[in-house]
Structures are given as C-alpha cells and as structure tokens.
Amino acid sequence: METMKEQQTANDGLTTEEKILAAAGKVFTRKGMAGARMQDIANEAGINKALLHYYFRSKEKLFDAIFEKTFQQFVPLMHLEFDSTDDFRQMLRNMVRLYVMMVKKSPYLPSFLLNEMHQNPDKIQHLLLKMNVSEFPKRLQIRFSEAGITGDPRQLLLTLISGVIFPFAAKPLLMPLFFGNNEKIFDRFIEDRSVFLEDLMLRMLVNREEDDINLDSDNSNFNNNAL
Amino acid sequence: METMKEQQTANDGLTTEEKILAAAGKVFTRKGMAGARMQDIANEAGINKALLHYYFRSKEKLFDAIFEKTFQQFVPLMHLEFDSTDDFRQMLRNMVRLYVMMVKKSPYLPSFLLNEMHQNPDKIQHLLLKMNVSEFPKRLQIRFSEAGITGDPRQLLLTLISGVIFPFAAKPLLMPLFFGNNEKIFDRFIEDRSVFLEDLMLRMLVNREEDDINLDSDNSNFNNNAL
DNA sequence: TTACTTATTAACCGTTTGGTTAAACTATTT
DNA sequence: AAATAGTTTAACCAAACGGTTAATAAGTAA
C-alpha cells in the first residue's frame, strides 16, 4: 500500500477535484453559468455541496475554471494545427476533421461558448493574453501568403470554422426542419458536410488567383490586431 | 379628446403591454431566460414588477412570447425570401444582405437564439408547426433544381447562413483576436464579408455542374423531413 | 354622482440559491 | 496512542427570486 501525498485518489480513481471539474463541466456547458445550480453540480459529482466551496471558493471561480478549460480546448486548436502540416490543403482538411470530431463529441460546447463569451467579453480578453495568441493573425497571414492566397485569410478561416460549428449550434432547429428528428440522418449530413467543406476550401484556393472577380485585394486593415 | 377602448396608450405612445414586451426583449436577449430577472425587466419598462404578472402570468409565459417573436423574426426570412426574386443569384445576394442587416441591428440575437434553442428544443418543434414551414425543404429543393444545382441545397444554405451569422455570434472572441477591439474595423470586415459570401455562392453554383469533384449527387436522404 | 371594471402599486410570502459554520471523519505525523 | 492537518458532511443563514395579495388609482358606463 503506497502513501499518497499531494492528492488522494477516490473510489473510482478520480480526485475529488477532478470529479468536481467533470461534473461542473457537464452542468455548466448544458445549463450555462446563470442556469447551473451548485446543488446540481454537487449531485452530479456525488459529493456534498460545501465541498464545491472548499475546493473552489465561489460559483464564479468554479465557472471560470471550466470556462477557461473549455475555451482553450477550442481556440488554440487552429493555433496548433496551423504549424503541424506542411501541405496547406491537407492542413485545412485536418482542421475540418478535427473540429467535426470535437463538436460531435460534445454538442453543447458551441452554443455554450458563444453565449458565455457574450456574457463576459472581458474574461476573453484576459484569456487571450494568457494563451499567447497575439502572434496568431500574423502567422495566419504568412501561412496563406506562402500558399499563394491573396484574399483575406480571416474570411476563409471564418467560413471554414463557422461551416463546421454552426450545424451543431443550430441543431435543435435543423433537426426537425431538415432531418425529421432522425439522428442518423443528421450524422450522415455531417459526414457529407466534411467533404463539402473540404471541397469548398479547395475551390476557393484554386480559383481565387486566376479569377477576375476581385475581392478587395489590398486588404490594408488586416494589420490592426493589437491586443 | 377621444375615448380609447381596447388599450390605452401611455405617456410615451406605447401600450403598457408593448413597453413590457420591448423591455423583456431587451433583457432576455442579453441575459437569457435563466439570467434575466423579472425585476430588471420591470425596471427597464419603468413599471411595477407585479404588472408583468398581470399581463403575462409567469416568467416563462413572458419568455415564450419573446422567444416566439424573436424566433419567427429569424427563421421565416429565408422562407419568405425564397419566393420573392426570380433571379436565383440575386435571391442569394438578397439573403446575405438581409441577414447582415438584421444581425447588425441586434448583435445579441444569434447567440441568444442558439442557446435558448438548446435549452428548450421541445418549444421549437411547437413553433415550427405554428409557422407552416413543413413545405420549406421541398420548396428549397425545387428552387435549386430549377436553377440547375445538383448538390444538396441544405449544405449551401447552411454555409451561407452560418457565414453571415457566425462572425456576430463569435464577435467577443474575434474582436480582440482579429480586429484590435476596433468597432470600425469589424464593420468594414462585415462589409467585405457580404461581398465575399456573395462571391462564394456564385463560385459554388457556377463550378458545381462542370466539375469532376462529385459530392454525393444522389442525395437520397433529403426527403426524410417529416414534422 | 354612483357603480363598476380595469390598471397599477407597495408590501408581503414561500422557496430557492450561493455561501458559511461547526462538527465529524480520515489520514498523516510524532 | 496522541496530536495534528486535511477532508467531508449536515445544518444553517441571509439574500434574491418568482409570484401573490390587498388596497389604491384611473378610466368607463349608468
């Protein structure tokens, strides 16, 4: 029998703190900060409510921990992913696949993040400073320039990300409107959408250079991204 | 001095009920159902809290009124817009412009709707029945077929709508990350985006027929849209 | 004016909520 | 074993909340 110093592992192999974080993540992402109840989180974690305040001082502190963790799970993906692959097209493909996978696993995430971002825009400022993403727009521009893309890379990136995330964020509407409340049909649609979006990206990249339709080539306002 | 029977107009030319609805709309869209307080709504309307319960019986009833109104403002736009113009490309252009205008006017709307939709997916089912949108997917398909588009029209439509809405829904993130917290730069980006999205649509329509990249032409799962 | 209906308010009520406390339980140290 | 530090709980608390009530004010009809 070994002695455990820092944290003792509970019955199911999880620290109490870990159990709290898992439960809080579940409840907060579903109900949001305002809709979540501390008692619900305690029940979900199978512990006493006072323990929540013992580990995290207040509801807001606990929420902040969850929000930060969830936020970082989302945003820096592009951050990391943009350096990993040499082939530009393959990189875009990977991004689509990665985001589809992520959102598929936890469908509440997008609307949770979007909503809480609006509720506390100040916290985002702070989070973006902690993760060092201030260089991201510059790197994004360089990456696109090297690939010979002339247009505003933000337009393309936003189209890509929104294209993946939005169907999940709007699922409760799309489900009865387009998919007859059939989960399998929805899943198949998402499968098709991955291909659709990859193809969409390729079309844009290929055509953009040789085409006469000019989209504000001198995008002079791209450098104003101070923090 | 005229006599008023049905509803007397208050000092500022608005019925009390109208003042309540306006105030509730403002508070609910910003704070959400769970985050909104009846007292805040009463304050915003400049009336006593009990009046809220006098006109609408409960918080949920009041919320439902706002949610329905807001929801209908959004969804049936495509519904109406899809019949108005003969020219298919012009119609898509109009849709983009219309949605940009709408969301620009009330930036909280997208994240509010997306979030509350997740919170009560059951209510959406009911709302979709009231608005008669059951025919919409069929009409959408027909409209696209007539224009000679072979791919799944839902993919294209979703790309369009998400492309417009998402930048506003994610504005608190994009603002410091891409636009240096400068509202004017953001506005200019949205202007550019309208053009970008219109161009994007045209590219897809033009190329899709003559291209060898085949995106699941036999979209057999499109007809399963019962309600 | 009188009677009556509708609109509006201040005060109140029961419940829920985030948070605290003091005691009990568990492990580690001496 | 005794003392100590860390963990967990039941019970409690004040504030906030949605909702009610009883009384008042305002408009309408006779």
Side-chain angles (χ1 to χ4, degrees), chain B residues 41-66:
Chain B
I41 297 175
N43 292 343
E44 177 75 32
I47 59 168
N48 188 283
K49 192 185 61 159
L51 263 186
L52 300 179
H53 293 92
Y54 179 77
Y55 282 91
F56 306 82
R57 291 174 54 87
S58 66
K59 184 187 182 185
E60 191 171 1
K61 291 265 172 57
L62 179 54
F63 173 78
D64 286 351
I66 297 298

Side-chain angles (χ1 to χ4, degrees), chain B residues 4-5 8 36-38 49-50 53 58-59:
Chain B
M4 299 157 288
K5 275 192 169 176
Q8 55 263 73
R37 305 285 152 231
M38 293 296 267
K49 192 185 61 159
H53 293 92
S58 66
K59 184 187 182 185

